[in-house]
Amino acid sequence: MAVNLDDIQPNVVTSNLSDKIWLFYGEMATRKTSVACSFPRHLLFAYDIGYKLINGANAVPLQSWSDFKSAVKQLDKASIKSKYDVICIDTIGMAYQMCYQYMLTQMGVSEPGEAGAYGMGWKKIRNEFETTVRSIVQKGYGLIMLAHSDEIEKEDKVKKVKTTVVKIDIDKRPDMIIKGLADFVFFLHKEVKDGTADEPTVYAYTQLVDIDTKSRSRYFSPRFEFTYENLQLEMEKAIQKQYEEEGLQMPNSFERKNYYEQPVINFKDLLNDTIS
């Protein structure tokens, strides 16, 4: 497709969830797949079978990287574009493992180091994974990547103390690709619901320091109960606040009143609660 610079129009920021790139990660049963399947016009690329008890999930069960590549290729079809706006990968860690095994077979080796000097094998795996996943966004779809969390112990040799650190449960090699691609990285944690004695729920953390989180919208609440409805509300609040701070008029279709007013939350307390 030829580029015509005369056609360039200023970008308009909207509260549409389905044109963003999301990474939701947390322990098992933290609503990752349920919320992803609540997105309108979603298509779930499923290595995990967590969708089996979710009514309305538009799921494609996958068993290999070849399956994934075939599904991605079909996203160019007009009939598919007319039905779906956002693609979900469940889980992105399993997708990478399938890519890893696929590329070893393609290179005819049992380990990446056998494919040539200067990390050639690893470079080919990285390129295959990044190019294929990124192509989903380049085709005009929003993207949701789901991952599990992992807890590791880190030892401070000076203070001689051990601390528990939460991380995304994925190999370090695709880790930066995934986090770099995402507009939002939210850590999900099961807790007792605010204002109750023992009712469990799931909270999303968006702005922690020592745990992987990311938000291209600086006005997201640092913590909120994780549901699709709350995610939509938080996005609307954040975008409204952005327009107000920039002194711009928000498009009428996205206006909301007083959504950005929220109590101040102590980040140190949030972090202590999360890793305890």
Side-chain angles (χ1 to χ4, degrees):
M1 180 179 66
V3 175
N4 186 347
L5 298 184
D6 289 326
D7 294 337
I8 300 298
Q9 297 294 325
N11 182 58
V12 177
V13 178
T14 77
S15 59
N16 182 9
L17 299 180
S18 295
D19 64 2
K20 312 294 190 297
I21 305 174
W22 305 88
L23 171 58
F24 301 137
Y25 77 102
E27 59 190 309
M28 295 179 61
T30 45
R31 302 179 185 163
K32 297 183 291 292
T33 308
S34 296
V35 170
C37 290
S38 295
F39 277 62
R41 294 168 55 86
H42 72 273
L43 180 59
L44 179 69
F45 288 0
Y47 285 105
D48 196 304
I49 61 172
Y51 69 88
K52 290 290 187 177
L53 292 177
I54 301 175
N55 284 318
N58 301 315
V60 181
L62 303 177
Q63 296 182 345
S64 68
W65 187 248
S66 295
D67 288 346
F68 188 91
K69 287 171 67 73
S70 174
V72 170
K73 185 175 181 179
Q74 293 179 60
L75 295 178
D76 285 320
K77 296 168 61 176
S79 59
I80 302 301
K81 289 191 171 184
S82 69
K83 294 173 64 177
Y84 304 111
D85 291 332
V86 58
I87 307 302
C88 174
I89 304 174
D90 189 6
T91 66
I92 192 67
M94 295 175 71
Y96 176 76
Q97 289 301 319
M98 294 297 177
C99 177
Y100 176 88
Q101 294 298 330
Y102 170 87
M103 288 302 296
L104 290 185
T105 300
Q106 293 296 306
M107 294 183 288
V109 299
S110 58
E111 296 290 342
E114 300 172 1
Y118 307 108
M120 184 60 65
W122 286 113
K123 291 177 182 177
K124 289 182 178 180
I125 295 170
R126 176 192 173 96
N127 182 67
E128 170 70 16
F129 179 75
E130 182 173 13
T131 300
T132 306
V133 172
R134 191 178 292 275
S135 71
I136 296 172
V137 180
Q138 294 170 336
K139 294 174 189 293
Y141 294 90
L143 180 62
I144 306 170
M145 299 175 285
L146 306 183
H148 297 299
S149 62
D150 191 17
E151 294 186 357
I152 60 174
E153 277 195 349
K154 292 184 67 176
E155 183 176 1
D156 188 322
K157 295 183 178 180
V158 176
K159 297 181 180 179
K160 297 183 179 180
V161 295
K162 292 182 178 180
T163 58
T164 301
V165 177
V166 179
K167 62 180 290 292
I168 302 170
D169 188 14
I170 189 168
D171 189 273
K172 64 180 181 180
R173 295 181 184 273
D175 182 76
M176 294 306 297
I177 298 173
I178 294 165
K179 290 188 293 189
L181 182 62
D183 297 316
F184 302 92
V185 178
F186 290 173
F187 169 62
L188 311 178
H189 190 244
K190 289 188 286 189
E191 303 170 16
V192 173
K193 188 170 183 177
D194 290 349
T196 68
D198 56 4
E199 183 180 348
T201 191
V202 178
Y203 285 95
Y205 288 83
T206 72
Q207 301 174 21
L208 294 175
V209 176
D210 294 341
I211 295 175
D212 283 330
T213 54
K214 174 182 177 181
S215 176
R216 294 197 192 275
S217 179
R218 59 189 291 194
Y219 302 110
F220 246 96
S221 297
R223 174 181 180 268
F224 64 92
E225 187 176 1
F226 188 59
T227 66
Y228 176 80
E229 293 74 17
N230 285 347
L231 182 63
Q232 179 68 74
L233 180 62
E234 290 294 331
M235 177 61 78
E236 292 169 351
K237 290 162 51 181
I239 299 305
Q240 179 184 342
K241 181 66 173 177
Q242 177 179 336
Y243 271 87
E244 293 187 359
E245 289 293 314
E246 294 175 355
L248 299 176
Q249 179 64 42
M250 193 171 187
N252 289 333
S253 58
F254 301 109
E255 284 186 353
R256 298 292 187 274
K257 293 184 178 180
N258 299 322
Y259 279 168
Y260 59 86
E261 294 180 358
Q262 52 188 272
V264 176
I265 300 178
N266 186 298
F267 281 95
K268 185 175 181 180
D269 291 341
L270 288 181
L271 183 59
N272 290 337
D273 288 344
T274 302
I275 64 176
S276 60

